[in-house]
Amino acid sequence: LTREGYLAPIKWLIARGPADDDDSSLCASGVAATPHVLAHIVRREAADRRGIIVFAQDVQQARKLQMEFQTLKWRSEIVSASTPKARRAKTIREMRAGAVRVLINFNIFTE
């Protein structure tokens, strides 16, 4: 589907967590990365990308991530299964147009 133009090639990173307070390092699995660290990793790894989708575990993590992206001056929006369909569609259009840099998802694009 990618070759046919239906899907864009994706780039992903699994952040396992910081070895210490330095957000430039990742450590072994089993250590949770904070929203602060995740936002900085996304900024570093995806600085050249326009539409970024971040998968959050729950609404609390999504809100914390959104606050972190705001401090980085990256506009982000949250969508979930409870977001009205019209609002979700508008947010996705804004991301595709470049107005929303990061779309934070929980419990919707995993279905």
Side-chain angles (χ1 to χ4, degrees), residues 12-107:
W12 67 89
L13 173 72
I14 298 172
R16 303 246 189 264
D20 51 33
D21 288 337
D22 178 8
D23 65 18
S24 66
S25 61
L26 297 176
C27 70
S29 64
V31 179
T34 66
H36 174 78
V37 169
L38 290 172
H40 284 270
I41 290 170
V42 169
R43 181 183 67 173
R44 182 186 69 216
E45 298 294 327
D48 60 336
R49 296 182 67 96
R50 235 175 50 171
I52 302 162
I53 300 176
V54 174
F55 291 82
Q57 294 175 349
D58 53 36
V59 67
Q60 182 180 8
Q61 185 185 46
R63 288 182 180 144
K64 287 179 181 179
L65 283 164
Q66 186 176 39
M67 289 174 26
E68 291 296 335
F69 285 117
Q70 286 174 348
T71 64
L72 298 174
K73 307 291 187 229
W74 281 20
R75 182 174 169 207
S76 62
E77 294 291 337
I78 299 170
V79 294
S80 73
S82 64
T83 305
K85 286 185 180 184
R87 176 72 182 138
R88 267 188 269 160
K90 180 178 185 273
T91 301
I92 291 168
R93 282 193 309 273
E94 289 176 339
M95 184 186 75
R96 288 179 178 157
V100 172
R101 183 87 184 260
V102 181
L103 188 135
I104 303 167
N105 153 66
F106 71 95
N107 200 24

